[in-house]
Amino acid sequence: MITLDDVKTRHRTIWAGGDYARVARDLIASLGPVLVDACGVRPGEHVLDVAAGAGNAALPAARAGASVVASDLVDALLDQGRAAAAREGLDLRWEEADAEALPYDDGSFDVVLSCVGAMFAPDHRRTADELVRVCRPGGRIGLLSWTPEGFVGRMFAAMRPYAPAPPPGAQPPVLWGQASHLTELFGDRVVEVTAHRATVRIDAFADGAAFRDFFRAHYGPTVAVYRSLADDPDRTAALDRDLAAVGDEALDDTGDGTMSWEYLLWTGTRAQAGSASSQSA
């Protein structure tokens, strides 16, 4: 029987495959600064980037003058982030850590954030609990997550029939892109909540086949699904067609040669003891 610990081992392999740093740099580099700005990161604040990858949010937080810890389950991604930080002369701590069991004391950080990262931890409740625990009362939590209805959600839906079955208890990552799911996870532990959907424009692909080939070569989850089909050329060809179709549909939707990838930007303040919830969306 596959356990959640098995999934974490699989996640390390998945995200170490391909070249996620290139995906983050070439396609979604703008998202980290969007999240950092939404969280109001200020010089001197202690910031934790959970599931930081190669530092899409950690690097702009450091540029803002914060003292930043970038944590991730995959050390290979942290190595890429360290290299990027060194090229800019930025001073960050890069630490291997599980989003479901963060190795930090209660209330250690002024800001806890995650840019399309923590959403991939299999146990959503434990992950949310950890984000709250390590944030000081009155500190801010910020999340940027792909939505189920958006392009990345549709891409994952297209890959799902071809991927190995998840273990019992593992929830779909794109649920983090639904404000109602986050309300359920965080409850009144987080107040002054804001949640809105926005899009990032992608102009890197001439057609759906170009999108598919880029993700097949560089995006860990897509690389992993194709590897699982290595001995099944018919299913590989079917996945080729399905992913190209998702890309072509996204290009057709905009009509101007770009894709529009939807995400949920969610922020809130960790409640002080005894405070009441005040939410807006």
Side-chain angles (χ1 to χ4, degrees):
M1 178 179 177
I2 297 175
T3 67
L4 291 179
D5 286 338
D6 294 329
V7 173
K8 291 174 188 178
T9 299
R10 182 190 296 173
H11 278 190
R12 287 188 175 94
T13 301
I14 287 173
W15 291 105
D19 185 358
Y20 183 72
R22 181 172 177 184
V23 176
R25 180 185 68 245
D26 292 355
L27 300 181
I28 58 170
S30 64
L31 295 186
V34 166
L35 180 58
V36 169
D37 288 347
C39 291
V41 173
R42 297 185 291 269
E45 289 192 307
H46 294 283
V47 175
L48 175 65
D49 185 1
V50 178
N56 196 344
L59 293 172
R63 293 184 200 117
S67 173
V68 180
V69 176
S71 68
D72 198 277
L73 190 66
V74 183
D75 195 53
L77 295 180
L78 297 175
D79 287 341
Q80 294 173 325
R82 289 187 188 97
R87 288 192 293 271
E88 290 193 48
L90 295 171
D91 184 18
L92 293 76
R93 286 165 50 196
W94 300 86
E95 299 180 347
E96 184 173 342
D98 182 352
E100 297 177 4
L102 293 168
Y104 308 112
D105 292 337
D106 297 358
S108 296
F109 297 94
D110 300 303
V111 182
V112 178
L113 50 79
S114 186
C115 184
V116 294
M119 62 182 290
F120 290 99
D123 190 323
H124 294 191
R125 176 70 64 184
R126 285 175 60 183
T127 301
D129 290 349
E130 285 294 274
L131 297 177
V132 173
R133 181 184 66 78
V134 301
C135 183
R136 66 168 176 80
R140 286 101 66 204
I141 299 172
L143 302 167
L144 192 153
S145 309
W146 301 121
T147 67
E149 301 84 1
F151 174 78
V152 176
R154 297 197 303 271
M155 179 192 71
F156 277 112
M159 291 195 299
R160 190 175 303 121
Y162 303 94
Q171 295 173 283
V174 291
L175 286 179
W176 286 81
Q178 293 181 325
S180 59
H181 184 62
L182 299 187
T183 297
E184 180 182 349
L185 289 176
F186 290 100
D188 60 6
R189 298 179 298 173
V190 176
V191 300
E192 299 174 356
V193 170
T194 69
H196 72 271
R197 294 188 177 206
T199 58
V200 58
R201 305 287 280 187
I202 307 295
D203 61 2
F205 307 115
D207 56 25
F211 146 73
R212 176 202 64 212
D213 292 345
F214 182 91
F215 268 62
R216 180 173 179 172
H218 301 296
Y219 189 60
T222 310
V223 172
V225 173
Y226 272 102
R227 285 177 178 167
S228 75
L229 301 176
D231 297 325
D232 195 334
D234 291 338
R235 283 173 59 77
T236 298
L239 178 57
D240 275 345
R241 291 191 297 270
D242 288 351
L243 285 181
V246 170
D248 284 330
E249 180 183 5
L251 289 164
D252 290 342
D253 284 346
T254 61
D256 60 3
T258 68
M259 294 178 174
S260 182
W261 296 6
E262 185 182 64
Y263 59 86
L264 177 73
L265 180 62
W266 184 98
T267 66
T269 300
R270 181 179 173 184
Q272 302 282 356
S275 68
S277 175
S278 174
Q279 299 185 352
S280 64

